[in-house]
Amino acid sequence: MTNPQAQHILGLLSAKYPDAACELTYNSDFQLLVAVILSAQCTDKRVNRVTKELFAHADTPEGILSLGQDALEKLIYTCGFYRQKAKSILSCAADILAHHAGRVPNTFNQLVKLRGVGRKTANVVLSVAFNKPRIAVDTHVFRVSRRLGLSNGTTPKSVEADLEKVFLPESLTQAHHVLIFHGRYCCKARNPDCTNCPVTAHCTAFQA
């Protein structure tokens, strides 16, 4: 796929989802980081319900640490994998205070050193919180990119590399959001709604 083709697909999807944006609710870089960690294998709607209560109790690294493991687990229980997520959030909070003066780091290498922060989480934070040209590959972006022929990658990292090649750097954040929206609301894993898809003419999966 050439860059012009990818940008054309992006334009069509952007027209379908003009309000595509991060659907997690947050008021600070740290809140976003916590919300993204919680969103692993959990819907954004569920995370927003959980963080509404969580952030009422604690919404800073200091506050999170003051909760402790047990209290934090109870507050995030419905997000799934709550024990591991609580450990990751507490570790992140401690590292941010100890090594980053209480502020969420704004580089990829620093972010992925935080416990529970992988490529996807780091790229979401860099893109959404710091307006850096990154594209996070979650399950929706992975599926839609492969169906559309934007990438033949077999891992999130390889798909990320392909998308960075076919999209203009300044379009990566927009591409991230519209690909997620398309996967979430139209190009679903099961029973994709091809009838209402604006890019079937460019979709290798549909053409096949």
Side-chain angles (χ1 to χ4, degrees):
M1 166 125 357
T2 64
N3 187 286
Q5 288 174 307
Q7 292 295 136
H8 180 62
I9 290 174
L10 178 58
L12 294 173
L13 291 177
S14 296
K16 182 174 177 64
Y17 310 105
D19 299 321
C22 178
E23 292 189 302
L24 294 170
T25 300
Y26 66 97
N27 291 310
S28 70
D29 301 343
F30 181 71
Q31 286 187 9
L32 175 63
L33 175 61
V34 171
V36 178
I37 291 173
L38 291 175
S39 71
Q41 295 181 285
C42 183
T43 66
D44 286 359
K45 289 183 179 179
R46 169 70 65 183
V47 172
N48 288 338
R49 287 196 292 269
V50 168
T51 55
K52 182 178 181 179
E53 181 178 1
L54 171 61
F55 294 153
H57 287 81
D59 64 351
T60 64
E62 296 91 341
I64 288 293
L65 287 174
S66 70
L67 287 175
Q69 180 80 19
D70 290 344
L72 182 55
E73 285 183 4
K74 291 177 182 178
L75 287 166
I76 67 172
Y77 176 81
T78 58
C79 281
F81 302 98
Y82 61 96
R83 289 194 179 92
Q84 187 59 47
K85 289 179 180 180
K87 289 179 182 179
S88 295
I89 292 169
L90 288 167
S91 180
C92 275
D95 283 349
I96 287 169
L97 287 171
H99 305 297
H100 302 286
R103 299 177 65 85
V104 176
N106 63 359
T107 70
F108 181 84
N109 288 337
Q110 289 176 319
L111 281 167
V112 294
K113 289 179 181 179
L114 301 175
R115 178 168 177 167
V117 177
R119 296 191 68 87
K120 188 202 80 169
T121 299
N123 283 333
V124 171
V125 172
L126 290 172
S127 174
V128 176
F130 299 111
N131 298 311
K132 296 196 175 184
R134 309 287 302 198
I135 188 159
V137 179
D138 68 353
T139 182
H140 299 300
V141 174
F142 185 84
R143 178 178 66 256
V144 172
S145 297
R146 285 171 51 82
R147 284 180 175 173
L148 290 176
L150 294 168
S151 172
N152 293 318
T154 56
T155 65
K157 185 176 181 179
S158 61
V159 170
E160 177 188 328
D162 288 341
L163 295 179
E164 288 179 343
K165 293 176 183 176
V166 299
F167 289 122
L168 297 172
E170 60 268 27
S171 300
L172 288 174
T173 295
Q174 180 187 16
H176 166 70
H177 292 311
V178 299
L179 289 173
I180 287 177
F181 267 52
H182 193 51
R184 186 174 288 165
Y185 301 115
C186 184
C187 191
K188 300 176 181 179
R190 297 180 180 179
N191 302 317
D193 186 11
C194 298
T195 301
N196 292 307
C197 175
V199 292
T200 51
H202 308 280
C203 178
T204 56
F206 180 81
Q207 298 300 323

